[in-house]
Amino acid sequence: MRLLIIEDDRDAAAYLVKAFREAGHVADCAHDGLDGYALAREGAYDVLIVDRMLPKLDGLSLVRSLREQKVATPVLILSALGQVDDRVKGLRAGGDDYLPKPYAFSELLARTEALARRQAGSGAAEETRYRVGDLELDRLSHRVTRSGREIPLQPREFRLLEYLMRHAGQVVTRTMLLEHVWDYHFDPQTNVIDVHVSRLRGKLDKGFPSPVIHTIRGAGYVLRVDEGAAG
């Protein structure tokens, strides 16, 4: 799953991001309602996990606004307000599930996975697969193929390729990769991106006549498969 966690408590958010990643999922994070709303509208997420009490834009208003904009991504609302009336308000605002705090992570994980399965079964499965030329990535099975040949990737390599494929044909900067693949909101001044891109290139291009990841000097990287180069 690809998740967006919108939670203003940074310690709680960091814990959730770490726990979901350890469970094999991809998690992004926002710490206020406005940033969360912007990411939810632009990102291709399987489930949104939204805290009810958020600065700048509260969780229920955020969910209502998303539904008004026809964003149908499943939403699980987290809240310290756990009375029946509170849960009803959350569901009527457009939430798909409501989990009162405190909660066990195992229950949150199970509910999130159930929402993702329900969404996939409702006809959104095609959104979980990316194809660029002869290169395909399936987010549900974590399978990558090129011209039908399976290419095993490590989790970080998979996330890197997924981000590049989501932005195929566009220049992706070092800052974008640091923030969305490594969750660094600063440049640690290492060659971590260069190393991973090099490894990924080696796996994707082995046995093929043309590269799929191109370096744009001074700008970043772009993923594209040149026409007629497949095979």
Side-chain angles (χ1 to χ4, degrees):
M1 295 184 296
R2 185 173 187 86
L3 310 171
L4 175 61
I5 298 164
I6 308 174
E7 166 66 75
D8 64 318
D9 184 325
R10 291 179 181 267
D11 289 338
Y15 166 76
L16 289 179
V17 167
K18 182 174 183 292
F20 275 113
R21 288 181 181 164
E22 289 176 347
H25 303 297
V26 176
D28 293 335
C29 188
H31 297 298
D32 65 63
L34 289 180
D35 285 347
Y37 175 72
L39 285 172
R41 286 197 63 188
E42 296 174 5
Y45 295 102
D46 299 303
V47 179
L48 310 177
I49 298 174
V50 181
D51 184 50
R52 182 166 174 170
M53 307 296 288
L54 293 168
K56 299 185 180 179
L57 181 68
D58 70 87
L60 297 192
S61 296
L62 184 157
V63 175
R64 286 193 197 97
S65 297
L66 289 174
R67 298 311 187 219
E68 289 171 1
Q69 295 298 316
K70 309 302 181 186
V71 177
T73 309
V75 174
L76 188 151
I77 298 172
L78 297 177
S79 178
L81 304 174
Q83 299 300 314
V84 172
D85 286 348
D86 298 315
R87 297 198 298 271
V88 168
K89 288 178 181 177
L91 296 173
R92 285 182 172 167
D96 298 275
D97 200 355
Y98 193 106
L99 185 60
K101 298 178 180 181
Y103 54 83
F105 177 73
S106 57
E107 181 178 5
L108 174 60
L109 177 62
R111 286 173 179 251
T112 304
E113 291 175 337
L115 287 177
R117 286 195 302 270
R118 186 189 311 167
Q119 181 75 351
S122 69
E126 67 276 5
E127 298 177 3
T128 67
R129 183 179 289 111
Y130 298 103
R131 181 184 178 104
V132 180
D134 61 346
L135 182 65
E136 290 191 54
L137 179 148
D138 189 312
R139 292 166 55 206
L140 293 181
S141 65
H142 271 235
R143 187 169 182 263
V144 173
T145 61
R146 187 172 182 188
S147 290
R149 181 196 304 172
E150 185 163 1
I151 302 172
L153 297 181
Q154 296 297 318
R156 185 75 69 178
E157 294 167 344
F158 186 91
R159 290 187 63 194
L160 174 58
L161 179 60
E162 179 189 348
Y163 190 79
L164 290 169
M165 292 188 76
R166 284 176 58 202
H167 297 85
Q170 305 172 24
V171 175
V172 174
T173 67
R174 179 187 179 90
T175 299
M176 291 166 68
L177 291 174
L178 284 170
E179 290 186 351
H180 294 281
V181 180
W182 276 267
D183 294 303
Y184 292 154
H185 295 281
F186 62 96
D187 190 339
Q189 298 297 320
T190 72
N191 64 344
V192 61
I193 291 178
D194 300 328
V195 170
H196 278 79
V197 169
S198 178
R199 289 176 181 169
L200 182 58
R201 275 178 168 150
K203 293 183 178 183
L204 297 178
D205 296 342
K206 187 176 182 180
F208 294 93
S210 63
V212 294
I213 301 174
H214 304 263
T215 299
I216 307 301
R217 196 171 301 278
Y221 303 96
V222 61
L223 186 142
R224 66 172 183 268
V225 177
D226 296 331
E227 291 186 13

